[in-house]
């Protein structure tokens, strides 16, 4: 498998790995900044893609087990700077003969070394620019990442293979670390033309002073997850039909009442509820209304369709009736999701005089 094929594999794997990373990334950013800055998204996700790519470049192509068994060593090169003697002895390079230059740069003793250096240059650039690493930390982290790759090879992909299928080479550690150092130095010349990490953080907190639709949706789902976890814990002590009403009143009503109008999820994501009047009463009424609007109403609609089907003996078009009903409910939820995503105020928020208020500025002060 060529380098290009390894990169293609990384691009294919990226959406799946990025999806797993997205939820923690959103929670962290809303917790720390109150918003998700576009430039931060670009930097972090390109960094993930970069790490996936160099990882696949290290481990691919994967051999068969039979091929790994045939590899009886040597498995490790302990001699530092052996790549210099290999270059001298193996390449046709002659300084005074330009005709040897092309064959030299296409020889593995040359281009593999260059590749190992270039592969880690972006790593050093990311470390300096976004992660604000010092020179010493950049050297250390570059060395550790390279060591991780070499141990991956030495262990036969974490002992999946019976033998290592690539050489664990101390020269790779040297070359990769050199690449990280070069990346650090290159970014030193470029970062003056880029927005600083501090500027990104400042803009993020400024954006976080308003509660976006996506942040509101994130609060909703985080609270549901935390509420269900709380209910499971509470079920250890309560074993009757009042479990869910009690857990609901504690999580969504009592906790906000004593914790500045914010559930646990809201506090983590730096938002709180605000009502124009009678906050405690209106909070309960709002949740009851939302439950009926988003749960009871769709269920009632499907029950109504079932009643029409049976009353008019429409069993022959059952699939059309139920399919159409589910489609209408899906559109119902989709419209409200889009309205929330666009940060539009839903009618029941106006009805109960409700809005979300960001606490990120208060937190920073």
């Amino acid at each position: 498998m060529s380098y290009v094929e390894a990169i293609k594999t990384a691009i294919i794997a990226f959406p799946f790995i990025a999806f797993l990373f997205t939820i923690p990334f959103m929670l962290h950013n809303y917790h720390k900044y109150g918003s998700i800055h576009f430039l931060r998204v670009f930097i972090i996700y390109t960094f993930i893609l970069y790490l996936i790519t160099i990882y696949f470049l290290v481990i691919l192509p994967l051999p068969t087990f039979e091929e790994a068994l045939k590899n009886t060593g040597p498995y490790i090169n302990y001699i530092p700077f052996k790549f210099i003697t290999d270059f001298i002895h193996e390449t046709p390079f002659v300084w005074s003969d330009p005709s040897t230059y092309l064959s030299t740069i296409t020889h593995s003793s040359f281009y593999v070394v260059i590749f190992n250096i270039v592969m880690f240059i972006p790593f050093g650039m990311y470390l300096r620019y976004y992660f604000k690493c010092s020179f010493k930390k950049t050297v250390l982290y570059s060395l550790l990442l390279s060591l991780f790759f070499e141990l991956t090879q030495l262990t036969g992909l974490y002992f999946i293979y019976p033998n290592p299928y690539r050489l664990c080479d101390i020269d790779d550690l040297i070359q990769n670390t050199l690449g990280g150092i070069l990346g650090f130095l290159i970014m030193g010349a470029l970062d003056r033309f880029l927005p600083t990490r501090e500027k990104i953080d400042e803009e993020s907190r400024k954006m976080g002073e308003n509660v976006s639709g996506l942040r509101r949706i994130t609060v909703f789902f985080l609270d549901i997850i935390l509420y269900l976890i709380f209910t499971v814990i509470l079920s250890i002590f309560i074993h009757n039909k009042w479990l869910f009403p009690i857990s609901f009143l504690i999580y969504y009503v009592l906790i906000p009442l004593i914790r500045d109008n914010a559930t646990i999820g809201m506090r983590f994501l730096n938002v709180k509820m605000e009502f124009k009047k009678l906050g405690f009463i209106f909070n309960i009424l709002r949740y009851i209304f939302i439950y009926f609007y988003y749960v009871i109403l769709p269920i009632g609609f499907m029950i109504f369709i079932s009643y029409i089907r049976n009353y008019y003996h429409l069993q022959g078009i059952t699939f059309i009736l139920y399919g159409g009903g589910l489609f209408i409910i899906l559109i119902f939820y989709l419209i409200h999701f889009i309205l929330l995503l666009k940060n539009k105020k839903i009618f029941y928020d106006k009805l109960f005089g409700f809005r979300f208020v960001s606490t990120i500025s208060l937190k920073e002060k």
Side-chain angles (χ1 to χ4, degrees), residues 104-328:
T104 297
I105 63 176
T106 57
H107 195 280
S108 61
S109 295
F110 176 82
Y111 73 74
V112 170
V113 173
I114 299 301
F115 173 79
N116 283 335
I117 295 172
V118 171
M119 187 170 71
F120 267 61
I121 288 177
F123 189 64
M125 296 175 72
Y126 278 108
L127 290 183
R128 178 166 187 168
Y129 173 64
Y130 183 79
F131 298 102
K132 310 303 292 183
C133 290
S134 65
F135 179 79
K136 290 182 179 179
K137 285 186 176 180
T138 300
V139 173
L140 176 62
Y141 293 152
S142 298
L143 177 63
L144 291 176
L145 180 60
S146 179
L147 180 61
F148 167 72
F149 288 154
E150 295 307 305
L151 292 177
T152 297
Q153 296 174 340
L154 182 62
T155 58
L157 199 58
Y158 322 115
F159 305 104
I160 294 175
Y161 288 97
N163 291 322
Y165 61 91
R166 286 193 179 180
L167 180 69
C168 176
D169 196 339
I170 190 173
D171 279 346
D172 288 353
L173 296 176
I174 296 171
Q175 295 157 14
N176 293 157
T177 305
L178 177 59
I181 293 172
L182 289 176
F184 181 90
L185 298 175
I186 292 170
M187 183 50 67
L190 295 179
D191 61 0
R192 70 190 69 181
F193 304 107
L194 301 172
T196 64
R197 168 69 185 273
E198 291 76 16
K199 180 66 174 178
I200 296 173
D201 291 348
E202 179 185 344
E203 291 179 354
S204 296
R205 292 192 176 95
K206 186 67 177 177
M207 292 165 56
E209 293 179 2
N210 297 314
V211 181
S212 66
L214 183 59
R215 187 174 171 192
R216 181 172 175 172
I217 292 171
T218 306
V219 167
F220 173 77
F221 284 107
L222 178 60
D223 268 331
I224 286 181
I225 293 172
L226 293 177
Y227 164 69
L228 292 176
I229 294 173
F230 173 72
T231 302
V232 171
I233 296 173
L234 195 64
S235 66
I236 299 174
F237 308 98
I238 300 176
H239 306 281
N240 56 47
K241 62 183 180 180
W242 297 105
L243 171 63
F244 282 97
I246 291 174
S247 64
F248 177 85
L249 287 173
I250 293 175
Y251 187 88
Y252 283 102
V253 179
L254 182 60
I255 291 178
L257 182 64
I258 63 179
R259 299 293 290 175
D260 195 26
N261 287 333
T263 62
I264 298 173
M266 292 175 193
R267 287 184 65 83
F268 184 79
L269 298 181
N270 297 301
V271 299
K272 68 176 183 178
M273 298 178 288
E274 188 176 88
F275 294 88
K276 290 184 178 179
K277 55 184 177 179
L278 300 175
F280 174 73
I281 302 298
F282 273 54
N283 187 25
I284 297 176
L285 293 176
R286 177 178 174 274
Y287 278 122
I288 292 175
F289 182 86
I290 288 175
Y291 175 76
F292 275 90
Y293 187 67
Y294 286 114
V295 179
I296 302 301
L297 182 62
I299 293 176
F301 178 67
M302 293 304 296
I303 292 175
F304 175 74
I305 288 178
S306 180
Y307 171 78
I308 294 296
R309 168 184 170 273
N310 294 329
Y311 186 82
Y312 290 101
H313 306 290
L314 302 175
Q315 285 77 6
I317 56 172
T318 298
F319 177 78
I320 296 177
L321 287 173
Y322 286 123
L326 291 174
F327 179 75
I328 291 173

